[in-house]
């Protein structure tokens, strides 16, 4: 690619990023959110040969949405209660751990809510005036270490995430424990998996002309063929998890947080 | 999707998402139909093949009428699994069948060595996963179920499968999901299966492998004892024997610096009361796989010679073999008659793995001694070079 073409490509990506930011909204950050300036993020599987993905400024929750948060949402939006939600928006595992439609029982109110579908998570964020973070935004924040924006530069970072991820519990403890990362965000690794806005992007190319190609990279020998950093095993786990999802799915290990 | 105040209207997005889902389902169906059409046309495209008008029939053999029975007319049988060290029973039939196999995926803490625990990712709660045994030409409907308590997505790549990823793409499932696909066992042999979800190496390193045996139509020759052994290499933060729940060590795995090399998922799984047993005179068959992820096995039974080795699990048969090389992701079938009583050690003859990393198992042979084949020590006395001259 010539330098002119490179500049043009970068300009185009900037325009796309700004347009995306406009499209998904930019309401003021809530008190429990942090503002992130954005910038380039090296996704594990970059789109074509375009290099780093540009992330526009956004805000994101410091911690995942809790059981107590979601209970309040269900009280205000009965259409998302277990007995009311249509099957296409939530499968039979939706909030399966809840003893009652509007009761947490022994569940920790401060623990992250799990067992929610993509549709329910998206509706929750919309009700709060926000949305789910895009995959690029989530990865941008999650790639940060504790001292700087590139965790991979910090010794033992990848191994630490890997262990947290592999040994995480199905009964997650309360949100907010542990250190905040460089951006002031907590619990990105080791508490629960988290929904992102564009789950499909893990297995579609940007223009959807070669559907499935990226998903195929996550199975069998293709797993590392297109990956930017073959040592980033924690990212492989995240991408593989997203590749197995559809919007109505829910599981005891999968929660979410919101962005604007 | 957006009003004047800048709020996104997600109702519209749900609608679009639902349409996308519906389209994807349509594409999937269409794709399958297209595949089916290609398959049924393939037979007519080559003059040396039988012309097969019925869809879903097998044409690996030009002589077997049983291969021409359409799948929906095949008798349906449940697959019977074998849990290590016991081999799955041979298919008790001389006809093609539609075999239904169900395998569950779990993640659980189990013993790696005395005082050492590890969070294994398993097929069927065991390392190796259960042995699957079908007959050449069988149509196998395979269901993989990922337990709701799992934290990871998983899938399966069966090396006995001809088709995308050995079933990997078709079976990629998140916790609490199950997926089904079907294949025809086109090739007889002994094959590894393993999880193929990214990061593939980590899933294999955590114990997700086993054997699927596709028995030739005429069957293997009958033997007295059949065993199922799979080697694997494990990469823990702590060195060999360091106690406690050990974490997976990615750096060590990349460097291929195994802390443990073991048979059937743990140190001592085939030792002492867990040893394999046979009687003098028995013909013994071992289905031996190497799940990997990294190391090639130099499989050897100390004090025995393999009468026959199905090299790499295929149809090439070698005789009178001391040590057989089994690649990572490969398998072998060895047979030998046990003539002499005693304890025979199964080892990876890359020998530090055996004595320092766990790759030892035992075959205990019970029965009468035969001095015409082997005697114990008959004489011991001092050796003085001076007096011998």
């Amino acid at each position: 690619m010539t330098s002119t073409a490179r500049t043009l490509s970068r300009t185009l990506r900037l325009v796309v990023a700004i347009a995306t930011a406009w499209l998904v909204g930019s309401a003021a950050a809530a008190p429990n959110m942090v503002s992130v300036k954005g910038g380039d993020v090296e996704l594990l599987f970059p789109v074509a040969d375009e290099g780093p993905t540009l992330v526009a400024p956004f805000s994101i929750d410091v911690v995942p949405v809790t059981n107590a948060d979601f209970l309040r949402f269900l009280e205000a939006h009965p259409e998302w209660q277990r007995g009311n939600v249509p099957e296409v928006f939530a499968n039979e595992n939706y909030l399966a751990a809840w003893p009652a439609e509007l009761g947490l029982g022994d569940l920790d109110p401060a623990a992250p809510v799990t067992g929610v579908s993509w549709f329910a998570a998206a509706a929750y964020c919309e009700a709060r005036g926000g949305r789910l973070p895009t995959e690029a935004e989530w990865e941008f924040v999650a790639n940060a270490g504790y001292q700087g924006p590139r965790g991979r530069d910090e010794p033992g970072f990848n191994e630490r995430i890997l262990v947290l991820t592999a040994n995480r519990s199905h009964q997650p403890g309360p949100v907010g424990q542990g250190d905040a990362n460089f951006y002031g965000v907590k619990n990105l690794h080791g508490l629960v998996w988290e929904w992102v806005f564009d789950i499909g992007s893990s297995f579609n190319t940007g223009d959807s002309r070669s559907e499935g190609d990226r998903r195929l990279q996550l199975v069998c020998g293709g797993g590392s063929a297109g990956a930017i950093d073959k040592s980033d095993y924690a990212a492989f786990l995240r991408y593989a998890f997203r590749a197995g999802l559809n919007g109505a799915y829910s599981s005891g290990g999968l929660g979410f947080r919101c962005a604007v | 999707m957006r009003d004047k105040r800048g709020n996104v209207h997600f109702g519209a997005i749900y609608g679009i998402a639902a349409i996308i889902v519906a389209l994807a389902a349509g594409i999937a169906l269409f794709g399958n139909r297209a595949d089916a059409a290609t398959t049924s046309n393939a037979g007519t495209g080559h003059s040396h093949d039988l012309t097969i008008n019925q869809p879903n029939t097998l044409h690996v053999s030009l002589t077997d009428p049983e291969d021409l029975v359409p799948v929906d007319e095949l008798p349906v049988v449940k697959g019977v699994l074998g849990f290590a060290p016991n081999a799955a029973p041979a298919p008790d039939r001389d006809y093609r069948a539609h075999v239904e196999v169900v395998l569950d995926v779990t993640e659980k803490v189990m013993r790696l060595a005395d005082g050492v625990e590890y969070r294994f990712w398993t097929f069927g709660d065991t390392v190796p996963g259960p042995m699957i045994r079908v007959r050449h030409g069988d149509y196998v409907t395979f269901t993989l179920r990922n337990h709701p308590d799992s934290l990871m997505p998983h899938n399966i790549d069966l090396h006995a499968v001809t088709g995308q990823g050995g079933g990997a793409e078709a079976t990629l499932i998140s916790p609490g999901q199950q997926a089904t696909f079907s294949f025809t066992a086109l090739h007889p042999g002994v094959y590894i299966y393993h999880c193929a979800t990214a990061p593939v190496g980590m899933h294999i390193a955590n114990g997700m492998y086993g054997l699927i045996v596709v028995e030739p139509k005429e069957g293997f020759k009958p033997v007295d004892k059949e065993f199922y052994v799979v080697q694997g290499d494990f990469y823990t933060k702590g060195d060999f024997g360091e106690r406690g729940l050990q974490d997976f060590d990615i750096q060590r795995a990349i460097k291929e610096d195994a802390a443990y090399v073991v048979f059937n998922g743990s140190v001592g799984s085939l030792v002492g009361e867990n040893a394999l047993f046979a009687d003098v005179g028995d013909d013994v068959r071992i289905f031996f796989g190497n799940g990997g992820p990294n190391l090639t096995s130099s499989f050897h039974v100390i004090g025995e010679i393999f009468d026959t080795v199905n090299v790499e699990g295929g149809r090439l048969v070698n005789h009178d073999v001391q040590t057989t090389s089994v690649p990572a992701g490969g398998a072998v079938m060895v047979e030998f008659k046990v003539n002499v009583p005693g304890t025979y050690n199964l080892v990876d003859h890359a020998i530090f793995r055996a004595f320092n990393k766990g790759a030892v198992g035992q075959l205990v042979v019970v029965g009468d001694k035969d001095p015409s084949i082997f005697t114990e020590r008959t004489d011991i006395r001092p050796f003085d070079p001076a007096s011998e001259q």
Side-chain angles (χ1 to χ4, degrees), chain A residues 22 167-168 193 218 220 249, chain B residues 2 119 151 169 175 196 198 247:
Chain A
W22 178 82
N167 280 334
R168 64 171 54 174
W193 299 110
L218 295 164
C220 280
Y249 171 80
Chain B
R2 213 177 143 83
R119 185 180 297 276
L151 296 166
E169 167 80 354
D247 288 321

Side-chain angles (χ1 to χ4, degrees), chain A residues 9 19-20 62 67 69 91-92 94 102 111 117 123 138 143 156 159 167 180 216 219-221 227 252-253:
Chain A
S9 165
T20 308
V62 171
N67 282 321
D69 295 335
N91 72 11
E92 65 278 11
Y94 181 66
L102 285 174
S117 66
W138 198 98
N143 284 344
E159 289 80 356
N167 280 334
L216 283 173
V219 296
C220 280

